[in-house]
């Protein structure tokens, strides 16, 4: 595994009017790792992901993605990342196969590459024969598997996933987590994801950063954090760090 720095944020601050969503946040994500930003709703997770994805400008501070500045090198960063928002949707009247084909056209250099991308996405999704059906017939879990596969079929250097299992049942959540873990192992992709489900992240991420009110209040490997704070799980760690326990 390469130990290059994939993401480095220094003093990252983002204000929306009078509201400070991120407060001098420092974050480092190493290449080839699955890193998680975890915390309650409103902690600043989505804001951080959008800045890394070049969709939002920081108020102050710097963020580099594989050495490229998110403000000045945004176009170059977009060539090497894939971003999946929490509220992303698929085109309702396209089948899974048609959706993959449509999305692959934006990146594929020729028909052969397009075909390989679509086949890769189909395998990642695990949706089998249901890919022939229109997306409007899919459950929420199936749509999420479709969208995660669309993000990963591009073989990005960095995949940024906002709440990838939000609202999914146990089986679909498990499948999405396994997709992410397997893909990182096979292709060396770096993943930065957000979640408010701390127990889930514990089993998925190599490293986690706990966010509260725009600040990182603790970070490290899940096992290290549990040992450091004498806790059974990351929820307990978070409660202790923010003074709830």
């Amino acid at each position: 595994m390469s130990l290059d720095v994939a993401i480095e944020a220094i003093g990252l601050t983002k204000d929306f009017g009078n509201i400070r969503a991120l407060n001098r946040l420092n974050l480092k994500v190493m290449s080839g790792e699955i890193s998680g930003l975890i915390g309650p709703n409103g902690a600043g997770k989505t804001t951080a992901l959008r800045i890394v994805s070049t969709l939002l400008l920081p108020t102050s501070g710097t963020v580099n993605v594989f050495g490229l500045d998110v403000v000045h090198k945004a176009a170059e960063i977009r060539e090497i990342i894939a971003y999946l928002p929490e509220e992303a949707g698929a085109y309702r009247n396209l089948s899974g196969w048609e959706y993959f084909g449509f999305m692959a056209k934006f990146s594929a250099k020729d028909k052969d590459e397009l075909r390989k991308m679509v086949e890769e996405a189909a395998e990642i999704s695990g949706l089998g024969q249901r890919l022939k059906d229109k997306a409007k017939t899919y459950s929420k879990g199936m749509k999420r598997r479709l969208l995660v596969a669309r993000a990963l079929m591009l073989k990005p250097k960095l995949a940024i996933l906002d709440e990838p299992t939000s609202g999914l049942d146990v089986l679909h959540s498990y499948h999405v987590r396994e997709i992410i873990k397997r893909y990182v192992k096979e292709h060396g992709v770096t993943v930065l994801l957000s979640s408010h489900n701390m127990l889930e992240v514990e089993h998925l991420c190599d490293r986690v950063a706990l966010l509260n009110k725009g600040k990182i209040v603790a970070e490290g490997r899940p096992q290290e954090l549990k040992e450091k704070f004498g806790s059974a799980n990351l929820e307990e760690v978070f409660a202790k760090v923010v003074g709830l326990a």
Side-chain angles (χ1 to χ4, degrees):
M1 181 189 292
S2 168
L3 290 179
D4 296 336
V5 177
I7 302 167
E8 186 165 28
I10 300 172
L12 179 60
T13 299
K14 181 63 181 178
D15 296 331
F16 295 101
N18 297 325
I19 297 169
R20 178 150 288 186
L22 295 173
N23 191 357
R24 297 193 57 77
L25 182 143
N26 296 319
L27 177 70
K28 189 178 283 189
V29 174
M30 306 309 290
S31 179
E33 285 192 333
I34 304 175
S35 289
L37 289 178
I38 59 178
N41 293 333
K45 304 185 300 294
T46 294
T47 300
L49 295 191
R50 286 178 178 164
I51 291 172
V52 173
S53 304
T54 75
L55 297 176
L56 271 181
L57 291 171
T59 301
S60 61
T62 61
V63 183
N64 287 292
V65 176
F66 291 103
L68 300 168
D69 182 90
V70 294
V71 176
H72 304 293
K73 300 287 186 178
E76 291 173 52
I77 289 171
R78 288 174 195 149
E79 294 286 319
I80 58 172
I81 67 170
Y83 173 58
L84 178 62
E86 182 181 1
E87 298 302 326
Y91 295 103
R92 289 170 45 78
N93 288 312
L94 294 183
S95 70
W97 284 113
E98 289 167 342
Y99 175 70
F100 288 148
F102 176 74
M103 298 307 292
K105 283 178 184 175
F106 292 102
S107 302
K109 296 178 182 67
D110 53 44
K111 285 185 178 179
D112 187 51
E113 188 178 8
L114 187 143
R115 178 183 56 78
K116 286 177 180 173
M117 268 190 188
V118 171
E119 288 173 357
E120 176 88 1
E123 185 180 338
I124 294 167
S125 75
L127 290 172
Q129 292 299 310
R130 288 303 308 271
L131 288 171
K132 295 178 182 177
D133 300 329
K134 290 187 177 183
K136 66 183 177 184
T137 69
Y138 290 3
S139 69
K140 185 171 183 179
M142 291 169 67
K143 283 177 187 166
R144 207 63 185 159
R145 284 160 63 169
L146 189 81
L147 292 164
V148 170
R150 186 267 297 163
L152 295 179
M153 76 177 182
L154 303 173
K155 291 194 174 70
K157 284 186 77 173
L158 171 65
I160 302 163
L161 311 175
D162 195 356
E163 299 277 1
T165 62
S166 176
L168 304 191
D169 62 27
V170 173
L171 282 176
H172 279 300
S173 293
Y174 174 80
H175 192 92
V176 168
R177 284 201 306 273
E178 291 304 303
I179 285 172
I180 295 167
K181 279 198 284 191
R182 188 180 75 240
Y183 208 78
V184 167
K185 191 175 180 181
E186 290 176 0
H187 299 282
V189 173
T190 305
V191 174
L192 176 64
L193 60 87
S194 74
S195 181
H196 61 274
N197 186 335
M198 299 187 200
L199 297 178
E200 174 179 273
V201 165
E202 199 171 309
H203 300 294
L204 179 60
C205 293
D206 299 302
R207 294 183 64 83
V208 295
L210 278 60
L211 258 69
N212 190 45
K213 297 177 182 175
K215 289 184 176 181
I216 291 178
V217 291
E219 63 180 317
R221 297 189 179 278
Q223 189 59 38
E224 291 170 357
L225 287 172
K226 287 189 290 182
E227 289 171 4
K228 180 179 177 181
F229 291 96
S231 301
N233 54 56
L234 290 181
E235 282 188 350
E236 204 176 296
V237 170
F238 186 83
K240 286 182 177 178
V241 170
V242 299
L244 296 174

